[in-house]
Amino acid sequence: MTTGARTPHPARPRRSRLRGVLPLALAAWLVLEIWLLTLVAGASNGLVVLLVLVAGMVLGSIVIKRAGRRAFKNLTETLQQQQSGAGETEPRPNSEGNGLMMLGGLLLILPGLVSDALGLLLLVPPVQKGVSRYAERTFERKLREATHGSLGDAFQQARMHRPDGRVVQGEVVRDDEPGSAPGDTPQGPPPPLTR
């Protein structure tokens, strides 16, 4: 039965800026890649463009394979040191940058000149150190911002703001008496059902 009162609709959650910009940036990047490839094809010929794309794929796969082998070698050395009981005192010089090398290799494999340039840039050690420092600072800052509440609070907040608005806050009170069996029902009439 309705009383004629209008229930307010829950407010829509704000969309993040990244969700609005990312599709446009991706489309602009694809248009730029195609435009640059047509410029190179117009300045030389299609065979040069094909050779550039194949060279990028081959170089990217070599870089990814090398970074993967290096990461696996570091992992096995670390496991051997832990099994022997010797703790690692100083970091290895090659232990950092495997993820950025793999990302650079992946960018080289993607067809396009801009992605190839970014991939080659990520293979330069000073650029790798700068990007890794920036990523580490950003990650630490986001982690500090996220620790103001507990994980349970985050789940509770996510439940409270569901778009359908059907979550009802409350708590369950269980009145277990020492002599009652699990299947016994409480005395008295059942509670009224509310909607």
Side-chain angles (χ1 to χ4, degrees):
M1 180 172 172
T2 60
T3 60
R6 296 185 69 189
T7 58
H9 294 289
R12 278 188 155 173
R14 249 184 78 205
R15 287 181 61 168
S16 70
R17 196 178 314 170
L18 183 65
R19 286 183 67 188
V21 173
L22 189 63
L24 294 174
L26 185 63
W29 174 67
L30 287 173
V31 167
L32 179 65
E33 291 282 13
I34 293 170
W35 179 69
L36 285 175
L37 286 174
T38 56
L39 278 179
V40 171
S44 58
N45 58 18
L47 184 62
V48 172
V49 172
L50 181 65
L51 288 176
V52 166
L53 294 177
V54 169
M57 286 180 167
V58 170
L59 182 63
S61 61
I62 290 171
V63 167
I64 287 178
K65 188 175 180 180
R66 180 176 172 216
R69 282 186 179 171
R70 194 166 76 174
F72 187 73
K73 180 183 172 191
N74 289 340
L75 177 66
T76 55
E77 287 176 2
T78 303
L79 288 175
Q80 287 173 355
Q81 284 180 356
Q82 286 180 352
Q83 286 178 352
S84 68
E88 186 176 352
T89 57
E90 60 186 43
R92 287 186 221 66
N94 299 358
S95 65
E96 295 180 358
N98 286 332
L100 290 176
M101 279 187 70
M102 286 188 182
L103 180 62
L106 181 66
L107 286 172
L108 282 170
I109 288 176
L110 289 176
L113 299 176
V114 175
S115 62
D116 287 349
L118 288 175
L120 288 173
L121 195 62
L122 280 177
L123 297 180
V124 177
V127 174
Q128 282 182 353
K129 287 182 181 180
V131 169
S132 66
R133 270 190 258 126
Y134 174 75
E136 186 177 345
R137 281 194 309 259
T138 303
F139 179 72
E140 287 175 357
R141 182 175 39 102
K142 293 288 185 183
L143 196 60
R144 279 194 307 269
E145 291 173 1
T147 57
H148 292 298
S150 68
L151 188 60
D153 292 341
F155 283 124
Q156 182 67 22
Q157 292 296 322
R159 270 195 71 184
M160 285 174 38
H161 299 293
R162 284 187 47 194
D164 61 359
R166 293 188 182 188
V167 175
V168 177
Q169 295 264 330
E171 62 183 47
V172 175
V173 177
R174 191 172 194 171
D175 200 17
D176 289 338
E177 295 180 16
S180 65
D184 290 350
T185 59
Q187 300 297 329
L193 298 175
T194 59
R195 189 169 183 199

